[in-house]
Amino acid sequence: MTALYILIPVALLLAAFAVWLFFWAVDSGQYDDLDGPAHSILFDDDDPRHQAGVQQAQKPDDKQDPPGA
């Protein structure tokens, strides 16, 4: 019986913390876009917006000889 005097307040504190954590996650935008990440795996990497960043990162140095020279 004395264990209940400890376990009930601990359970209430954990429940209050879980509710606070849920509302914090909602307010911080964790649940704004639930479908986007699930659908993003279906898209190819051939998106021109992504290719521009890849080409800039792989841009050869100007000091190299052009092909066939």
Side-chain angles (χ1 to χ4, degrees):
M1 183 70 178
T2 58
L4 289 177
Y5 294 130
I6 295 172
L7 291 177
I8 290 175
V10 169
L12 290 174
L13 285 174
L14 285 175
F17 178 72
V19 169
W20 174 81
L21 190 63
F22 172 74
F23 281 110
W24 171 81
V26 169
D27 287 339
S28 67
Q30 295 290 321
Y31 298 108
D32 284 347
D33 184 17
L34 296 177
D35 293 330
H39 293 162
S40 66
I41 196 166
L42 301 174
F43 300 125
D44 288 337
D45 291 337
D46 296 338
D47 190 3
R49 292 175 288 175
H50 297 296
Q51 290 296 327
V54 171
Q55 288 174 355
Q56 288 177 354
Q58 295 177 351
K59 184 178 178 183
D61 294 335
D62 292 334
K63 296 176 184 176
Q64 292 180 352
D65 294 329

